[in-house]
Amino acid sequence: MKPSMMRSACQLLRRRSYSSTSGQPERKVAILGAAGGIGQPLALLMKLNPLVSSLSLYDIAGTPGVAADISHINTPALAKGFMGEDQLKEALEGSDVVIIPAGVPRKPGMTRDDLFNINAGIVKNLATAIAKYCPNALVNMISNPVNSTVPIAAEVFKKAGTYDEKRLFGVTTLDVVRAKTFYAGKANVPVTDVNVPVVGGHAGITILPLFSQATPATNALSHEDIKALTKRTQDGGTEVVEAKAGKGSATLSMAYAGAVFADACLKGLNGVPDIVECSYVQSTVTELPFFASKVKLGKNGVEEVLGLGELSDFEKEGLENLKGELKSSIEKGIKFANEN
């Protein structure tokens, strides 16, 4: 890659450029599931991030090769691969941010809930290791179903006595990325200028994009347009699964979204002001114990969970409709963590 292309990639990821990394604290980022379909492109994007000084790549197989490959990229982050449970301790120790894309991907006909039995066990084991080896890290959960895996991790951390609700995040950034892209295309506005909050959860109808709050605002979209954009955002994962015809799920866009959110977490840790992203966190915004909304990030993770703001009637209806399914997913995660 030419230096100019690499700089462009970094700028796209960060959306705010840094003239120099001098004076930045050293930060270790661990990716658990780094040899998978999301893990590999995510590792590449984090290698390009100048806020990362140490990049720890863990999986049950394949990570030495991934680490060797990206270690040749001429950016400051030092990449190292770790393979198998006996190397998990070394992979995690000293981590500031742990990103978890581990688990099996969706296949045609599968819902995120179909993934539950496999991925729930994987997440529980990894959360147990995080509690033991890097209990103060910010944990970015990508493994689906996020609506359940975040509550699983919370229960594991509670049992270990390490739970801090400010440090556990469900990564819902891909829903925001999709909403921005789809809105920009329909409203005919520059996609780089668009912002759309997405609240609720991270599966199907629990994903609620708030297009009434989208910026730049437009009068060009009808109610039917908004309904169609909402449905497409909710079904974005299925759209990719079907397009890949059984050969994968949304891995590249998810890696990008994961890198964007991890970058925001690192900026918050480093004291950059006014870092706000949507994320699925412990929340009192609704009666549900976990909920995705805008979150202000800071030196301890969550600085403030922001409210929903003013909703349209269509969004109010969507909010009420999602609560039952989201509540069930949360309870399923908590039950799994406490019974297994």
Side-chain angles (χ1 to χ4, degrees), residues 37-292:
I38 297 168
Q40 290 199 44
L42 177 58
L44 170 62
L45 291 170
M46 297 314 296
K47 180 71 169 75
L48 298 179
N49 191 313
L51 303 182
V52 180
S53 52
S54 175
L55 186 57
S56 178
L57 307 180
Y58 173 84
D59 214 320
I60 56 173
T63 32
V66 177
D69 195 354
I70 69 165
S71 71
H72 294 180
I73 296 169
N74 59 321
T75 56
L78 297 177
K80 187 172 181 182
F82 300 91
M83 189 170 70
E85 286 191 17
D86 58 331
Q87 295 186 6
L88 187 51
K89 176 183 177 181
E90 189 181 352
L92 287 173
E93 284 182 333
S95 294
D96 296 289
V97 177
V98 178
I99 314 172
I100 310 178
V104 299
R106 290 176 69 194
K107 297 186 172 100
M110 288 178 73
T111 65
R112 284 183 173 87
D113 223 38
D114 293 331
L115 306 176
F116 181 86
N117 288 330
I118 299 172
N119 288 357
I122 293 170
V123 165
K124 187 177 181 183
N125 290 338
L126 294 175
T128 301
I130 291 166
K132 190 172 182 180
Y133 301 126
C134 57
N136 296 318
L138 302 190
V139 178
N140 293 184
M141 185 69 69
I142 291 174
S143 303
N144 275 317
V146 165
N147 291 352
S148 300
T149 54
V150 169
I152 288 170
E155 290 301 306
V156 170
F157 296 154
K158 285 175 187 176
K159 285 182 181 178
T162 65
Y163 182 54
D164 181 349
E165 69 272 16
K166 296 179 179 180
R167 296 177 180 272
L168 176 60
F169 303 88
V171 180
T172 59
T173 313
L174 182 52
D175 302 324
V176 176
V177 166
R178 286 172 173 150
K180 289 178 178 181
T181 301
F182 302 157
Y183 176 87
K186 195 69 176 175
N188 196 28
V189 294
V191 70
T192 52
D193 296 339
V194 169
N195 195 18
V196 182
V198 181
V199 304
H202 185 57
I205 66 162
T206 71
I207 299 167
L208 182 61
L210 303 182
F211 288 114
S212 70
Q213 298 178 21
T215 55
T218 179
N219 293 320
L221 301 182
S222 68
H223 178 64
E224 291 305 312
D225 289 332
I226 297 297
K227 284 176 66 177
L229 286 172
T230 299
K231 185 78 164 64
R232 191 180 179 199
T233 303
Q234 292 171 339
D235 294 343
T238 302
E239 183 178 316
V240 175
V241 168
E242 291 176 351
K244 289 190 174 182
K247 296 183 179 178
S249 58
T251 52
L252 302 175
S253 53
M254 184 63 248
Y256 169 77
V260 167
F261 188 74
D263 181 67
C265 287
L266 290 166
K267 287 175 181 171
L269 286 174
N270 289 354
V272 178
D274 303 319
I275 302 298
V276 176
E277 294 286 342
C278 291
S279 182
Y280 180 67
V281 295
Q282 182 173 311
S283 173
T284 57
V285 167
T286 70
E287 65 272 25
L288 299 174
F290 294 92
F291 197 82

Side-chain angles (χ1 to χ4, degrees), residues 1 14 16 22 60 75-76 131 141 154 162 168 177 188 200 219 248 256-257 284 294-296 303 315 317 332 339:
M1 181 184 284
R14 296 195 305 275
R16 294 188 196 127
S22 62
I60 56 173
T75 56
M141 185 69 69
T162 65
L168 176 60
V177 166
N188 196 28
N219 293 320
Y256 169 77
T284 57
K294 289 194 286 188
V295 174
K296 187 175 181 182
E303 250 182 35
E315 290 160 357
E317 182 183 355
K332 186 172 183 178
E339 289 184 354

